[in-house]
Amino acid sequence: MPLRWRLALIFALGTALVIAAAGLVFLQRLTAGLDDSLGAILRAQADAEVVRLAVTGPLPPLRPPSARDPDGGLGTGAGAERVAQVLAPDGRLLAFTDGAGRSPLADAAQTRAATRKDIEFTASVDDQDYRMLAVPATNDDNKVVVVVGASTRVADAATAHTRDALLLGGPPAVLAAGLGAYWLAGSALRPVDRMRRRLAEITEQDTGARLEAPATHDEIATLAATMNDVLDRLAEALAQQRGFAADAGHELRTPLTALKAELELAGQPGRTKEELIAAVAATAQDTDRLIRLSEDLLLLSRTDEGRPLVRPEPLAPAELLAAAARSAASRAATRSVRVCLRTDDGVRLLADPDRLRQAVDNLLDNALRYAPQGSDVDVSLTVHGSQADARAVIEVRDHGPGFPPAFLPHAFERFRRADAARSRPGGGAGLGLAIVRSIAQAHGGTAAADNAPGGGARVRLELPLAPGSDET
């Protein structure tokens, strides 16, 4: 069922319930008010008759009602809307008003009870309902019973007319409420339907398309603005995904092309054993590079999906840095580059040793790539900050040309290249620094890059200390 029909139905049912509840309350109040009014009339009439009988002499002989004396000796003048009788304790009719009839309005049991206390009952006179009140009285030292009654015709008619008005007027009111709700719901949901159709028209090729927000400054306008924000984020994510795929393809194409070339050369006739061994070694290096690139891409993919990246455990980072420096020193020696290590042995971290080693290796690879021949690559581990917020700082610095100013704001972006500004060929940051930042953030730390005073690029990895670490 469409939403506007559901809203109209709910509003109509609600209106019906409100009308029914209000009608029942009104009828109950009306009936109670009419009953109270009749009770007050009967009480006043009965009290007046009791007083009159108490101060008059013996009742005159009973006579039929006539035009000359319509009250039959009582003299109330109430007419057919109100009747009265005087009964003896044994039930005999002593006096009556016109319209009360010649038969006692109270039976024997009611008459006997009325000699002791007031009683109320209903009776029918000439096919008309009356509300009756019987009270004890005295006339000429004789006990009598005064019976007075008032017709319920007016009260019953008022109640019936009110009930009929509710029954006849309620359904049209409910129908009008439902139609009004249907129209209002349609007017309110029309902008939503337009936005739905517009969203259905937007494709992945039309990432710049947005919804037109109505100038109503209400919830619908807020919804349109929120959906436009979502479209902005989706467009940005799609652009990043496309760029990531293109850059990943570019990164993978180079080692694949080199691998293909080495295999083609190895397959040519007349190659010597030494040439084949060299080709196989080069092929192995390209294969290792492909494996590293694939692992880096998988790691970044896990980061994007919010999956756990690290499994922290207590460790001494000084030992990890020493192992990484020894591994890098063997590669640096081929270009007479020295890896200088300075650490604080008392520092303890709660970190994933494999991921932290990967981050440090990436920093060293990036520094060795641009370190001039015969220069130093400095690696240090220090503690910065006060005791309350102390953090371990792993810093790797080379003495090359440093980062170009335009590169620094984007140093940790994926596939960001620095080739045009740094002196040595071989690629920029690529995936290396992006992975360093992801690993740092997974440990609750940060990564930063700048140019060191005196020249050279400097990258810092800041990580929170483990409880109990030396923070001096």
Side-chain angles (χ1 to χ4, degrees), residues 227-248:
M227 296 183 74
N228 282 334
D229 291 340
V230 173
L231 289 174
D232 290 338
R233 292 194 294 271
L234 290 176
E236 182 179 357
L238 183 59
Q240 291 179 352
Q241 183 182 27
R242 289 172 175 172
F244 183 84
D247 290 335

Side-chain angles (χ1 to χ4, degrees), residues 160-184:
H161 290 162
T162 302
R163 183 174 58 251
D164 293 342
L166 290 174
L167 292 177
L168 294 176
V174 172
L175 179 61
L179 293 176
Y182 180 81
W183 181 80
L184 289 175

